Amino acid sequence: MDSLKSLLDQKNYELVLKLTEGSEAPNDLFYRISAFIYLGKYEDALYVIQDHQKILEGNLVSLVNAHINLLCVLGRFEQARTVLDYYNNLPYQSQVVEETLRKMPEVIELEEKKQTTLKFYDNEQIEKYLKSDKDEDVLIGLDTVRNRDIFTFLPIIQEVMVKHPRQMIRSYSLMLLVQKEVDRELKMNSNGEIIDVNPKHLNPPFTSVIFNDTIRLIDSEYKDPTLSQSATQLFSEYEMYLYPRSLKDTAKNYAGAFYIITRKYANSPIPDVKQYCDAMELDENHILELVKEIEDILAKV
């Protein structure tokens, strides 16, 4: 499993496909789906799901995310809603699964709006999205701008970065400018503090050594794919909230803190945190402080 993940990280997608051909191991199948997605072969990824549906249902969080998002990318929104009904009618698995299912109608609606916007909306209509009071509209506007002249919309994006009430939206706006390598001195409201940023000189999120080392520890130590998927998602949301500020703690501490948090979210809290910290050679007091800090931030996401 670790070797397949390393191959994905190294963008050796064709080799992943070769190594997983004919396999019916759930983890192999998910890596196979990911490789097809990275190659833009969405139909092939969908065939893997359709041919191994019952096997993949053992990790329902990953399956639901992959299946619904694939159908949305392909523009099959009614099919996505039908598939979501199927997943909603499966027996209860965990709170993490329930939360994932609860978010999916919004994911489908957002992607449907976004694809419509990309096709038909002019600059004036996109500006209305960027100035909207609705988070989903602003995100649609930002995703649409990605394929337009970014500098046409830069004054409005700058306003979003300073005045939008949600930190996640402000951080996402900055991330877009970083990806577009915008070389401008701009202002940003970073958790209540106005800071100076130049997107061209910033690293994108999810690329730091600490982030990637934490993800590797989550994959190797958690043993439960559902917990790993949930922890990775929560950790990504946490870093996005902090961006452009850097992660300050160690990968080992983050992996431990998110294990405690994710178990709690899955309605399976660790019975003895002290025993867990001792076994993992973690400072219990520090981990509990880190858990509280992370939970306070996630409550704002």
Side-chain angles (χ1 to χ4, degrees), residues 203-214 216 239 246-247:
N203 292 321
F206 319 128
T207 59
S208 70
V209 172
I210 293 176
F211 181 84
N212 286 300
D213 283 352
T214 302
R216 290 189 184 95
E239 187 183 18
S246 302
L247 296 165

Side-chain angles (χ1 to χ4, degrees), residues 151-178:
F151 293 99
T152 300
F153 302 94
L154 193 55
I156 303 175
I157 297 174
Q158 165 70 108
E159 189 171 343
V160 172
M161 289 168 58
V162 173
K163 295 184 178 179
H164 197 281
R166 286 195 65 205
Q167 179 62 44
M168 288 292 285
I169 303 293
R170 301 196 297 268
S171 296
Y172 188 86
S173 303
L174 176 60
M175 183 180 72
L176 170 63
L177 300 184
V178 171

Side-chain angles (χ1 to χ4, degrees), residues 157-163 166-175 185-198 202 240-245:
I157 297 174
Q158 165 70 108
E159 189 171 343
V160 172
M161 289 168 58
V162 173
K163 295 184 178 179
R166 286 195 65 205
Q167 179 62 44
M168 288 292 285
I169 303 293
R170 301 196 297 268
S171 296
Y172 188 86
S173 303
L174 176 60
M175 183 180 72
E185 294 297 326
L186 301 168
K187 300 288 184 182
M188 180 184 180
N189 180 347
S190 177
N191 297 300
E193 179 184 353
I194 303 299
I195 61 174
D196 296 313
V197 293
N198 185 319
L202 292 174
M240 197 63 193
Y241 188 91
L242 295 180
Y243 190 70
R245 301 179 189 278

Side-chain angles (χ1 to χ4, degrees), residues 20 92 132 160 176 182 191 242 245 289 293:
T20 57
Y92 176 86
S132 172
V160 172
L176 170 63
V182 172
N191 297 300
L242 295 180
R245 301 179 189 278
E289 288 175 2
E293 174 205 314

Side-chain angles (χ1 to χ4, degrees), residues 81 104-114 140:
R81 293 183 177 96
M104 282 300 121
E106 184 179 347
V107 170
I108 297 170
E109 182 181 357
L110 186 63
E111 186 62 30
E112 190 170 20
K113 276 187 179 181
K114 185 170 70 176
I140 289 170

Side-chain angles (χ1 to χ4, degrees), residues 63-75 80 104 107 111:
L63 177 58
V64 169
N65 275 307
H67 203 172
I68 297 300
N69 280 292
L70 274 170
L71 291 170
C72 287
V73 167
L74 292 167
M104 282 300 121
V107 170
E111 186 62 30

Side-chain angles (χ1 to χ4, degrees), residues 19-251:
L19 292 173
T20 57
E21 187 173 1
S23 175
E24 293 196 346
N27 285 326
D28 288 358
L29 292 171
F30 278 113
Y31 282 118
R32 187 170 181 82
I33 291 167
S34 296
F36 277 131
I37 290 172
Y38 282 123
L39 289 168
K41 297 181 177 181
Y42 304 123
E43 290 284 2
D44 290 325
L46 202 55
Y47 289 145
V48 176
I49 293 175
Q50 292 169 347
D51 292 343
H52 303 89
Q53 179 78 39
K54 291 300 180 183
I55 295 174
L56 294 169
E57 283 178 12
N59 184 351
L60 209 51
V61 171
S62 297
L63 177 58
V64 169
N65 275 307
H67 203 172
I68 297 300
N69 280 292
L70 274 170
L71 291 170
C72 287
V73 167
L74 292 167
R76 301 176 188 173
F77 301 109
E78 289 309 312
Q79 185 180 352
R81 293 183 177 96
T82 300
V83 166
L84 182 58
D85 285 341
Y86 165 77
Y87 288 126
N88 275 316
N89 287 319
L90 291 177
Y92 176 86
Q93 192 176 97
S94 72
Q95 185 61 35
V96 177
V97 171
E98 294 299 306
E99 285 296 313
T100 300
L101 292 171
R102 185 181 62 78
K103 294 176 181 177
M104 282 300 121
E106 184 179 347
V107 170
I108 297 170
E109 182 181 357
L110 186 63
E111 186 62 30
E112 190 170 20
K113 276 187 179 181
K114 185 170 70 176
Q115 290 191 22
T116 302
T117 303
L118 285 170
K119 291 178 182 176
F120 303 114
Y121 281 15
D122 58 24
N123 287 359
E124 183 178 349
Q125 290 168 311
I126 294 171
E127 287 183 12
K128 289 181 180 178
Y129 268 94
L130 291 171
K131 293 178 179 179
S132 172
D133 293 332
K134 297 180 179 178
D135 292 350
E136 60 268 26
D137 287 347
V138 179
L139 289 171
I140 289 170
L142 291 169
D143 280 335
T144 306
V145 166
R146 190 186 305 276
N147 298 297
R148 308 287 179 100
D149 177 12
I150 196 76
F151 293 99
T152 300
F153 302 94
L154 193 55
I156 303 175
I157 297 174
Q158 165 70 108
E159 189 171 343
V160 172
M161 289 168 58
V162 173
K163 295 184 178 179
H164 197 281
R166 286 195 65 205
Q167 179 62 44
M168 288 292 285
I169 303 293
R170 301 196 297 268
S171 296
Y172 188 86
S173 303
L174 176 60
M175 183 180 72
L176 170 63
L177 300 184
V178 171
Q179 291 170 343
K180 302 296 284 187
E181 297 186 336
V182 172
D183 190 5
R184 293 284 191 280
E185 294 297 326
L186 301 168
K187 300 288 184 182
M188 180 184 180
N189 180 347
S190 177
N191 297 300
E193 179 184 353
I194 303 299
I195 61 174
D196 296 313
V197 293
N198 185 319
K200 186 175 177 61
H201 299 153
L202 292 174
N203 292 321
F206 319 128
T207 59
S208 70
V209 172
I210 293 176
F211 181 84
N212 286 300
D213 283 352
T214 302
I215 295 300
R216 290 189 184 95
L217 284 175
I218 287 172
D219 281 342
S220 63
E221 292 182 358
Y222 284 22
K223 309 303 180 185
D224 183 332
T226 300
L227 281 180
S228 297
Q229 174 77 19
S230 179
T232 299
Q233 180 178 332
L234 292 173
F235 184 46
S236 299
E237 291 177 359
Y238 172 72
E239 187 183 18
M240 197 63 193
Y241 188 91
L242 295 180
Y243 190 70
R245 301 179 189 278
S246 302
L247 296 165
K248 296 299 184 184
D249 219 309
T250 66

